[in-house]
Amino acid sequence: MEFQFEFDWQAAIDSIPFLIKGIPYTLLISFGGLLIGFLLGILFGLLSINKRWFLRWPATAYIEIFRGTPILVQVLFIFYGLPDLIGGPIDPLVAGIAAIALNSGAYISEVVRGGVQSIAKGQTEAGLSLGLSRSQTFWSIVWPQALRRMIPPLGNQAIVSIKDTSLFSVIGVGELVRQGQIYIANTFTAFEVYFVVAIMYLGITLSLSLILRLIERRGLASV
Amino acid sequence: MTDIVQMKGMNKYFGKLHVLKDIDLTVAKGEVVVIIGASGSGKSTLIRCVNGLEEFESGHLTVDGHPLAPKSGNPKSLAEIRKEVGMVFQQFNLFPHLTVKKNIMLAPKKVKDTSETVANATAERLLNRVGIGNQADKYPSQLSGGQQQRVAIARALAMEPRLMLFDEPTSALDPEMIGEVLDVMRELAKEGMTMMVVTHEMGFAREVADRVIYIHEGQIVEQGKPDDVFDNPQNERTQAFLSRVLAH
């Protein structure tokens, strides 16, 4: 028997309205999580280079734990494990945002650490020699420069996190992949639907790349 | 004359390395002291102790009446000293994310709560004084090395320092730009600024210094009026050093 496969364009187009419903969830989990992750990253990144060991060690432990375990395990732990501890169910959306926040936060901590450490010591010395306090020197001289260097790796992390949300179909959040799975269960057009899903991810990540490149170019123009 | 800097029995170590050995040194108000010596002799470390960029392990240091304890033991004094002491670095250390004018305005605004208008006027006046009034809105990377160092001097002057430290201010410059920076320093000395200058520019030292200090392996080996030190050095180490640097 000869097997022939033909891409069914109509099936692909028909799936779009249903799949699109997943995009707000994908974006909400990604950017909600990344926003919190950015704050966590600043906090733990700066703590991880603090002189005091009792601030540095917990930060390093957080970074190692969330970088060293799979995000899928993290989200399963939060969604299925934590309810036992807190005695009540957790909304899958909240679990998803929390997983992205904690996971990206660990990676962003390293981005923050690298960014801050890449600024020459002479910058701090110049600030101190002008009479600025340590914190004034950091926030008005070192941090703005470090932030600019952090843009490319932050963009990279954002793209990774956006794609990571696809794993959260396992806890039943109606994001892109989950919408695809539901749709395929009725139509059996897996090839077409996952093709459309992939294109949608690509649309999101490419737009982000473009925006970041514009920001970077504007930022670098003044350095 | 009152002394701006008083060092007594000051010792400094980098780990086991004894970098400054029992330094006794006073700098009077309005005096220009040039410190010379081979690289690694401790001359930069010496002036970096004055504004607390380096800690010292023992001895006494008083800057403009503020005593500084060993191991940065006196943070309040240190804060006051840094407000009153300006520093110019070998690598300029301008803030690359700020325009030339903003580089100069930052410290007065943050440290002295100077208003935007006043800080702005001060910055423009100082830029004119160092001869680059027309570059105010450029970023440091758009300027030549000599211009950058002049901005760095203006930035330090904006805090109206009582003492200026220069840590090899011309060592990172192309030869043709050294003159313009030395000119600004010469003017500053003429106006009565108290200065401690670490440099390899022996011509400048001879012309501008009130006193030349030669440091060898962390010790002050010889000091005196420039003509005496350069023309008639008493210590054989000074003689050897000068014959090496003045030969070429």
Side-chain angles (χ1 to χ4, degrees):
Chain A
M1 197 175 101
E2 198 176 313
F3 180 77
Q4 221 181 355
F5 175 78
E6 246 183 75
F7 191 87
D8 185 347
W9 286 101
Q10 197 54 48
I13 291 163
D14 288 345
S15 71
I16 292 173
F18 188 81
L19 294 178
I20 265 180
K21 287 184 203 158
I23 289 182
Y25 286 97
T26 294
L27 293 179
L28 179 64
I29 298 169
S30 304
F31 290 103
L34 280 165
L35 188 70
I36 302 168
F38 185 53
L39 298 176
L40 289 175
I42 294 173
L43 177 68
F44 287 104
L46 295 182
L47 288 178
S48 76
I49 46 178
N50 197 287
K51 270 188 249 163
R52 282 164 285 240
W53 65 268
F54 56 89
L55 295 175
R56 197 172 64 238
W57 287 8
T60 308
Y62 159 74
I63 294 166
E64 293 303 333
I65 289 168
F66 282 92
R67 261 189 342 164
T69 55
I71 191 167
L72 182 59
V73 175
Q74 289 164 16
V75 78
L76 290 173
F77 187 83
I78 293 168
F79 186 67
Y80 292 110
L82 269 192
D84 292 344
L85 196 74
I86 62 172
I90 291 176
D91 186 273
L93 194 63
V94 173
I97 291 173
I100 292 291
L102 288 165
N103 186 271
S104 70
Y107 284 96
I108 293 171
S109 296
E110 288 291 277
V111 171
V112 168
R113 185 177 66 81
V116 169
Q117 286 179 335
S118 76
I119 304 302
K121 215 176 123 208
Q123 292 289 308
T124 299
E125 290 185 348
L128 294 177
S129 79
L130 286 165
L132 273 70
S133 67
R134 285 219 157 259
S135 74
Q136 284 175 325
T137 300
F138 182 80
W139 292 112
S140 55
I141 296 168
V142 177
W143 181 250
Q145 295 181 57
L147 198 57
R148 246 162 242 190
R149 293 197 188 168
M150 281 157 49
I151 293 171
L154 282 177
N156 202 32
Q157 181 56 43
I159 287 169
V160 169
S161 290
I162 289 167
K163 294 185 295 174
D164 279 347
T165 61
S166 64
L167 295 165
F168 301 166
S169 52
V170 296
I171 58 167
V173 195
E175 46 66 64
L176 260 174
V177 168
R178 176 74 181 162
Q179 289 297 101
Q181 289 170 337
I182 295 170
Y183 191 81
I184 292 162
N186 295 315
T187 61
F188 305 105
T189 49
F191 194 94
E192 288 79 1
V193 170
Y194 283 132
F195 180 78
V196 176
V197 165
I199 295 291
M200 286 179 171
Y201 276 111
L202 203 56
I204 296 171
T205 53
L206 285 179
S207 316
L208 183 67
S209 294
L210 196 72
I211 293 166
L212 283 163
R213 209 152 292 172
L214 289 174
I215 294 175
E216 208 179 320
R217 203 169 300 162
R218 273 183 49 191
L220 289 176
S222 58
V223 171
Chain B
M1 280 212 283
T2 37
D3 290 331
I4 298 253
V5 180
Q6 292 172 305
M7 294 179 176
K8 212 160 172 40
M10 218 176 69
N11 283 283
K12 159 86 188 161
Y13 297 82
F14 283 126
K16 278 186 181 159
L17 190 68
H18 199 169
V19 224
L20 294 177
K21 298 168 187 162
D22 277 321
I23 300 284
D24 292 323
L25 174 66
T26 55
V27 179
K29 188 169 176 350
E31 196 181 9
V32 177
V33 173
V34 170
I35 302 161
I36 58 172
S39 28
S41 59
K43 54 193 194 305
S44 285
T45 309
L46 178 68
I47 67 164
R48 285 166 60 85
C49 283
V50 174
N51 68 347
L53 287 185
E54 299 289 352
E55 301 176 343
F56 55 98
E57 270 65 38
S58 67
H60 299 279
L61 170 60
T62 304
V63 181
D64 205 21
H66 304 288
L68 202 58
K71 293 274 179 196
S72 298
N74 204 339
K76 275 207 180 124
S77 267
L78 182 60
E80 288 305 313
I81 289 169
R82 283 177 175 165
K83 280 184 215 168
E84 294 172 20
V85 178
M87 188 167 202
V88 174
F89 300 87
Q90 183 176 349
Q91 301 295 339
F92 329 137
N93 296 349
L94 292 179
F95 308 133
H97 62 301
L98 300 176
T99 61
V100 162
K101 196 195 267 181
K102 292 261 163 66
N103 261 274
I104 299 172
M105 291 166 64
L106 181 72
K109 279 168 65 185
K110 294 266 175 197
V111 181
K112 289 186 165 173
D113 280 324
T114 308
S115 72
E116 180 84 17
T117 330
V118 173
N120 189 58
T122 307
E124 281 176 2
R125 178 173 55 79
L126 288 169
L127 282 171
N128 283 325
R129 181 168 160 191
V130 298
I132 35 177
N134 53 344
Q135 314 278 2
D137 297 315
K138 288 195 175 165
Y139 284 90
S141 59
Q142 295 169 294
L143 303 186
S144 73
Q147 290 172 326
Q148 289 190 50
Q149 194 61 301
R150 285 186 280 157
V151 173
I153 294 173
R155 180 177 68 176
L157 290 177
M159 288 295 287
E160 301 174 316
R162 311 247 300 149
L163 164 69
M164 283 284 284
L165 308 172
F166 292 86
D167 189 2
E168 302 200 27
T170 57
S171 298
L173 294 174
D174 292 336
E176 77 268 24
M177 291 172 186
I178 291 174
E180 64 195 57
V181 171
L182 293 181
D183 284 344
V184 171
M185 292 168 64
R186 204 173 278 126
E187 280 302 308
L188 212 52
K190 236 184 255 171
E191 288 162 24
M193 176 65 76
T194 313
M195 294 163 60
M196 291 178 82
V197 184
V198 170
T199 187
H200 295 289
E201 293 296 325
M202 297 302 157
F204 175 85
R206 186 190 274 273
E207 182 200 331
V208 179
D210 295 310
R211 183 162 37 128
V212 172
I213 293 177
Y214 172 65
I215 291 196
H216 179 78
E217 292 177 358
Q219 276 177 307
I220 296 179
V221 169
E222 184 155 0
Q223 55 177 317
K225 291 200 180 307
D227 288 345
D228 294 340
V229 174
F230 286 118
D231 297 334
N232 192 16
Q234 299 300 306
N235 190 291
E236 58 186 47
R237 294 214 169 89
T238 320
Q239 291 162 5
F241 174 74
L242 288 174
S243 71
R244 263 181 286 131
V245 294
L246 297 176
H248 62 84

